[in-house]
Amino acid sequence: MLLHFELLLCCIISGCLSLWRPCTDLLPLDLLRRVVPAGDVYQSHVRLVQSQGARGVKFSGPPQALSFPAAPLFTNCNFFPAEFSIVVTLKIPQPAPNRDEYIFTLLDGDSNRLLLGLRLVRVSPVVPLCGVGEEGQLWFSTVKRGLFLCDGNTWVTMLQEKERLDYVEEHQDLFTVSETFDIEVFSIPSVGLFMATANRDQGSTVYRWTNSRFERYQNISTLDAQAWKFFTVGKEIFLVVANSGSNGGQEVSVIYRWNKRTLRFVVYQKLQTHSARDWEAFHIHNEAFLAVANHRQGEMNHNIDSVIYKWNPNTRSFEVNQTIATSGAYDWEFFTIGPFYFLVVANTFNGKSTVINSTIYIWLGGTFQPFQSIMTTGAIDWEMFQIGNRFFLAVANSQRLDGSGSILYNINSTIYELNMTSQTFVKFQDITTSSALDWEFFTVGDDKFLVVANSYDGNSYSLNSVIYRWQGYERFVPVHTLSTNGCRDWEFFTSSDGSYLISSSARQALSKILRLRTYYQH
């Protein structure tokens, strides 16, 4: 029987352990190397074994031989960490009856008093007694497959009932008027859940969630629409579309306002844009802003200004507030960290190469100023997300084109993490993608996920997009593959009946809604 579990504790152990102060700068530790260092006399008591495809370590000899002082582990901290994890894989060929053993113990060096112990109970599923003297003990039952913590009076389960993503199933095929570049899901209070599709031809469509399906609600005239953005200003509700097509030589993107009487979106304001690819809406100090990603002017000039607009409450319209030089801009992402406001642009192409800098800007003195430049490769999308007190930025890199003339589509997209010490985003994890066009971060229960839109590998558009799950020390690990065709965008949303993902296709007039089937883990 193979058993694998991960234990996460965060300041919940009572008694003597509750007095320990937190240590947050400790690194992962190889306990086995500490137990049996190279050349140690007790190495003869440890040997590698393999059983039914599983490889592990078998111990023999006196228990005291497999111990070491814990003090040297805490080089920057004199206390046991308040938050830590223990990962154990254990194979038990023939459990011995009526016998308890400790997999891991932490003893008080002066008195050999047990401070923390992970105990394996092999007898009945009846929970053993817990009381004074057992504080800091963990009990793992191979019968109940349960992990318990003694709080000084009773054993408290550590594997509480939690919602987990089990699998993904097709829920609805949504046939759109043409290929769809972007999907925006939003809610209008007291009205319902909606979705807007940005379509290549024949206008775009707003859908309404009805009886667990999206149904066509309103058609809107657009020109090669690339993206929608939903936002509010005070009590007013708006949708803005990024039109990349022209009408009579003029490229105009349009802001629509929600009419509370007709329950429809109506034209509110038109803004001149240049092959617009994206809009980002945000608020700073209760003031409303819109940022447009201008991709190119004409067919060849990619080095142009993108524009940040600010809402003027007197004219009740958006006016130019700042212009920023960009290179084939494709996406803006706004985010906040503490009291600071940031805006990052995905620069795709400078007319010669896709290997160029994308820039993070910080709000200072009423304008956005350069904060950090990151080398990207045909960047199409940025996704900012937070896990605990850690901040991440994921970039979708679409293609590598440089002076050699060759184009590579199977390249790395990268996740960056904010280093609090250097106050910069540093590379955290590379993930191989195939012309990635979008990242979407979402949560199910306590689990965190990223899904990538893989669109093209140089030969085919029929590719698997991938869901990655956050697994702490292991970073993001692939857990689900999703069949897609020229996937352009992923959106996550929830309704009263569950959680869903929806993907759009730049190759066919079909978007797919997938339902995330979950189960409750005991």
Side-chain angles (χ1 to χ4, degrees):
M1 175 172 59
L2 283 176
L3 302 176
H4 178 271
F5 60 90
E6 179 170 304
L7 167 65
L8 293 175
L9 298 181
C10 184
C11 300
I12 56 176
I13 302 175
S14 64
C16 58
L17 294 185
S18 65
L19 302 178
W20 296 350
R21 301 175 187 173
C23 300
T24 59
D25 56 349
L26 299 180
L27 299 175
L29 299 172
D30 186 345
L31 297 181
L32 179 60
R33 185 177 295 274
R34 296 279 180 170
V35 170
V36 188
D40 189 89
V41 65
Y42 290 110
Q43 279 197 322
S44 60
H45 298 293
V46 181
R47 64 187 180 94
L48 289 175
V49 295
Q50 184 163 331
S51 175
Q52 298 179 347
R55 180 176 296 177
V57 179
K58 184 175 182 179
F59 298 97
S60 62
Q64 60 269 23
L66 304 175
S67 63
F68 63 93
L73 300 179
F74 308 114
T75 55
N76 298 317
C77 180
N78 295 323
F79 304 93
F80 195 84
E83 180 176 336
F84 64 96
S85 64
I86 301 173
V87 180
V88 176
T89 301
L90 182 67
K91 183 177 179 63
I92 309 173
Q94 304 248 338
N98 302 318
R99 181 179 175 185
D100 297 348
E101 292 181 352
Y102 283 93
I103 300 173
F104 168 85
T105 59
L106 182 67
L107 303 178
D108 187 328
D110 297 329
S111 64
N112 285 330
R113 181 168 58 94
L114 182 67
L115 298 178
L116 175 65
L118 180 56
R119 180 165 56 159
L120 178 67
V121 180
R122 305 185 185 183
V123 290
S124 70
V126 177
V127 177
L129 295 176
C130 168
V132 178
E134 301 241 34
E135 295 172 343
Q137 290 198 47
L138 300 164
W139 168 66
F140 184 72
S141 169
T142 61
V143 178
K144 295 187 67 175
R145 303 287 180 91
L147 183 63
F148 303 87
L149 167 71
C150 181
D151 68 355
N153 296 300
T154 58
W155 290 97
V156 180
T157 178
M158 297 295 295
L159 300 180
Q160 296 179 357
E161 186 175 76
K162 295 182 178 180
E163 187 181 18
R164 298 293 301 269
L165 174 60
D166 190 13
Y167 64 95
V168 183
E169 66 177 12
E170 292 192 9
H171 179 76
Q172 180 185 0
D173 285 342
L174 188 68
F175 293 95
T176 50
V177 295
S178 65
E179 300 93 325
T180 302
F181 294 112
D182 177 72
I183 290 171
E184 178 82 344
V185 180
F186 55 93
S187 293
I188 298 178
S190 303
V191 182
L193 180 69
F194 292 84
M195 175 187 69
T197 59
N199 298 116
R200 181 197 298 273
D201 303 314
Q202 304 178 51
S204 297
T205 306
V206 176
Y207 297 82
R208 185 177 182 180
W209 186 254
T210 306
N211 296 325
S212 298
R213 299 176 68 85
F214 276 117
E215 296 183 357
R216 191 164 298 180
Y217 184 81
Q218 180 183 358
N219 295 325
I220 297 179
S221 177
T222 55
L223 291 170
D224 198 3
Q226 299 289 312
W228 284 101
K229 189 65 180 180
F230 173 83
F231 65 97
T232 61
V233 178
K235 295 182 179 180
E236 299 286 349
I237 295 171
F238 296 93
L239 264 181
V240 58
V241 64
N243 283 325
S244 64
S246 62
N247 184 7
Q250 292 291 318
E251 297 180 26
V252 176
S253 293
V254 183
I255 301 173
Y256 298 85
R257 184 180 65 85
W258 176 255
N259 187 307
K260 297 179 181 179
R261 182 179 59 83
T262 63
L263 301 182
R264 292 292 187 272
F265 285 99
V266 296
V267 174
Y268 185 79
Q269 183 180 358
K270 297 181 179 181
L271 297 169
Q272 183 178 4
T273 51
H274 300 288
S275 191
R277 289 295 190 267
D278 179 59
W279 283 100
E280 181 76 327
F282 51 94
H283 288 80
I284 297 178
H285 305 314
N286 296 320
E287 294 184 314
F289 295 84
L290 280 178
V292 64
N294 284 327
H295 184 63
R296 68 173 185 267
Q297 191 167 4
E299 292 298 320
M300 301 301 295
N301 185 12
H302 291 78
N303 299 308
I304 60 174
D305 287 344
S306 291
V307 182
I308 300 172
Y309 299 87
K310 180 181 176 180
W311 175 260
N312 186 328
N314 296 319
T315 62
R316 296 189 56 79
S317 63
F318 282 94
E319 300 173 355
V320 174
N321 187 70
Q322 182 181 359
T323 58
I324 295 179
T326 53
S327 298
Y330 231 101
D331 179 59
W332 284 108
E333 178 84 346
F334 175 81
F335 58 96
T336 62
I337 298 177
F340 301 103
Y341 303 91
F342 297 90
L343 194 61
V344 57
V345 65
N347 285 325
T348 305
F349 183 59
N350 64 4
K352 297 180 180 179
S353 175
T354 62
V355 185
I356 57 177
N357 281 327
S358 292
T359 303
I360 304 170
Y361 299 88
I362 186 171
W363 179 262
L364 292 174
T367 61
F368 283 100
Q369 304 293 329
F371 174 78
Q372 181 184 355
S373 291
I374 297 176
M375 188 66 69
T376 51
T377 310
I380 296 290
D381 175 68
W382 283 103
E383 180 81 349
M384 188 274 177
F385 56 94
Q386 181 178 351
I387 298 178
N389 61 353
R390 302 169 68 177
F391 300 90
F392 298 88
L393 273 176
V395 64
N397 288 324
S398 65
Q399 56 184 283
R400 177 182 291 273
L401 170 65
D402 50 30
S404 66
S406 61
I407 303 178
L408 298 177
Y409 298 97
N410 298 314
I411 59 177
N412 286 336
S413 292
T414 304
I415 302 169
Y416 299 87
E417 182 181 5
L418 178 64
N419 183 305
M420 293 296 186
T421 303
S422 65
Q423 295 186 350
T424 57
F425 283 90
V426 297
K427 183 181 292 188
F428 173 77
Q429 182 178 2
D430 281 328
I431 296 178
T432 301
T433 52
S434 299
S435 191
L437 300 183
D438 183 57
W439 283 107
E440 177 79 354
F441 177 78
F442 63 96
T443 63
V444 175
D446 292 332
D447 287 334
K448 322 295 183 185
F449 298 90
L450 273 176
V451 58
V452 66
N454 286 322
S455 67
Y456 185 60
D457 64 0
N459 296 304
S460 175
Y461 294 95
S462 297
L463 302 173
N464 284 331
S465 291
V466 183
I467 298 177
Y468 299 85
R469 182 173 62 213
W470 171 257
Q471 294 190 183
Y473 181 65
E474 298 177 75
R475 301 179 292 181
F476 282 96
V477 176
V479 291
H480 293 278
T481 56
L482 309 169
S483 178
T484 53
N485 185 2
C487 189
R488 181 62 183 85
D489 183 37
W490 282 104
E491 288 293 318
F492 171 80
F493 68 94
T494 60
S495 71
S496 58
D497 58 351
S499 299
Y500 298 84
L501 282 173
I502 181 167
S503 66
S504 69
S505 171
R507 299 294 301 174
Q508 57 183 354
L510 174 65
S511 294
K512 284 186 171 291
I513 301 171
L514 308 175
R515 185 170 185 178
L516 304 182
R517 286 293 184 182
T518 59
Y519 70 98
Y520 283 93
Q521 181 185 48
H522 297 270

